[in-house]
Structures are given as structure tokens and as C-alpha cells.
Amino acid sequence: LLAAAFGQATSSASSDAILLGGVLGGAPELKTAFPTSEFAKRLKMVARMISVASTLGLKRQIFFVQLIGWDLHGGQVNGHGPLLTDLSRALMSFYDATTELGVANQVTTFTASDFGRTYTPNASGTDHGWGNHQLIMGGAVQGGEIYGKMPSLTVGADDDTGRGRWIPTTSVDEYNATLATWFGVSQSSLATVLPNIGRFAKPNLGFLG
């Protein structure tokens, strides 16, 4: 049974790859220029996938694109800036591509991370933290705002649990519930998708219109 299921999955993947390759090969090239980094190339492929969604009969899609390397510790001084530059340039090109395709209002891009960094250093970098900041981008985003409360950025303040591991004021559940609602999850189904959402005050943070 396992071998048969594996064989079926492999066969389906091969067929899908051939189908997708043909569809993408016939799609017009994007006019939007992307940087040459691997992260930017991945986002460009997402934009190309979005461009052929109607041809493939797809209505709702979720894409996961990973940018690794943030757990810098001692390499933070030299490594953090280039990572943020890559992220910024690639995201800008991706948004411009969604505008070119006329789907900016239908595409929401958001970041997610396991943890933030401490205020205080260990050697020449910082250690694993707790609270952090995320970015949300897209035509439907109510932008130019900070949602939640900024930390004090002071070691030993009320929101510091030690060494600058600050307590977040907004939960991942609230963040995800807002995205899920925009994506079409009904209010009655939120607790099924996010079982802990009832523990928090704002199931919709308001950053998506």
C-alpha cells in the first residue's frame, strides 16, 4: 500500500510538472525587473504562477517562500543589513509584479518567524528572543500603520522578561485570524482553524480591508 501510494504521488507530481511547465512556457514574460538573489527568484516564480492561475483553474493559492539566515548571533552586525536589503528589494519587485498583473488587491504577502532577538548582546550579536515584528503587504492592506504596541526597547522594563526578551502585545493567533478572515474563513469556523483564538481580544486586527 505504501509503495503504491508513493508511486501514485510520484506519477502525479511528474504529470503536474509537465503541465505546469507547458503553461508557464506559454505565459507572457513579466515586465517587472527582479533582483538576482535566490529569494527574489522564488518570488518571481510565485508571480509567474499567479499569472497562470486562471489557465490552471485555480482560485485560491498559498505560496510559502523561505529566506533563511536570520539566526545570526555573532554575525549579526555584518549579516543583518544585507538580509533586510534582499528582503526589501525582492518584496518591492513582487508587489510591482502583482500590480503589473492587475491582482495587487487579491494578493497579500506576509512574513512569519519563529522568534525575535534579545535587546542585550551575546558577544557581537543577540540571542533568541520572544516578541518580534512582522510585515504585511498588498493592495488590500491598510498600510502605513503599526498594529499592536511598540515595546519600550528598555532592558528591565515592564515588557522585558529578561535580557530584553520582550513580551508581545499581539498574538500569532490574532495575526493569523485576520489573514484567514481575508482569505475567506468564516467567523464561525475561526475557532476550528485557530483553537486558541478565543483567548485573545482581537480576532481581527484590522490591517486588511
Side-chain angles (χ1 to χ4, degrees):
L1 290 175
L2 179 61
F6 180 80
Q8 180 60 45
T10 303
S11 177
S12 296
S14 179
S15 299
D16 290 345
I18 294 172
L19 171 63
L20 182 59
V23 172
L24 288 175
E29 285 293 323
L30 290 169
K31 297 178 181 178
T32 301
F34 278 76
T36 58
S37 71
E38 288 302 314
F39 179 62
K41 290 177 182 177
R42 293 166 187 164
L43 284 177
K44 183 177 181 180
M45 178 54 72
V46 171
R48 292 185 66 203
M49 292 280 288
I50 292 172
S51 75
V52 298
S54 59
T55 304
L56 294 171
L58 302 174
K59 296 182 179 180
R60 297 184 187 183
Q61 297 169 280
I62 298 176
F63 298 95
F64 175 79
V65 180
Q66 188 176 32
L67 177 59
I68 62 174
W70 299 91
D71 196 7
L72 292 162
H73 290 280
Q76 189 167 350
V77 173
N78 295 323
H80 206 214
L83 279 169
L84 286 172
T85 299
D86 186 16
L87 180 70
S88 176
R89 290 174 177 173
L91 286 178
M92 182 178 73
S93 293
F94 180 69
Y95 179 76
D96 288 345
T98 63
T99 301
E100 176 190 338
L101 294 169
V103 295
N105 286 347
Q106 284 85 36
V107 178
T108 296
T109 306
F110 64 95
T111 61
S113 177
D114 291 340
F115 48 77
R117 312 302 297 183
T118 58
Y119 297 160
T120 59
N122 58 343
S124 57
T126 55
D127 210 343
H128 296 180
W130 186 10
N132 56 22
H133 305 293
Q134 302 301 333
L135 304 173
I136 308 101
M137 178 186 76
V141 174
Q142 307 300 306
E145 300 289 341
I146 295 174
Y147 292 86
K149 180 183 177 182
M150 285 292 292
S152 66
L153 301 180
T154 302
V155 176
D158 290 342
D159 55 6
D160 178 12
T161 64
R163 293 192 55 216
R165 290 186 175 91
W166 54 277
I167 303 169
T169 61
T170 304
S171 74
V172 173
D173 294 81
E174 291 171 310
Y175 181 51
N176 288 335
T178 307
L179 291 163
T181 299
W182 175 82
F183 204 65
V185 176
S186 66
Q187 292 297 311
S188 59
S189 297
L190 271 183
T192 302
V193 177
L194 299 161
N196 289 319
I197 191 61
R199 298 175 180 269
F200 303 101
K202 295 182 179 179
N204 193 322
L205 297 172
F207 58 73
L208 281 165

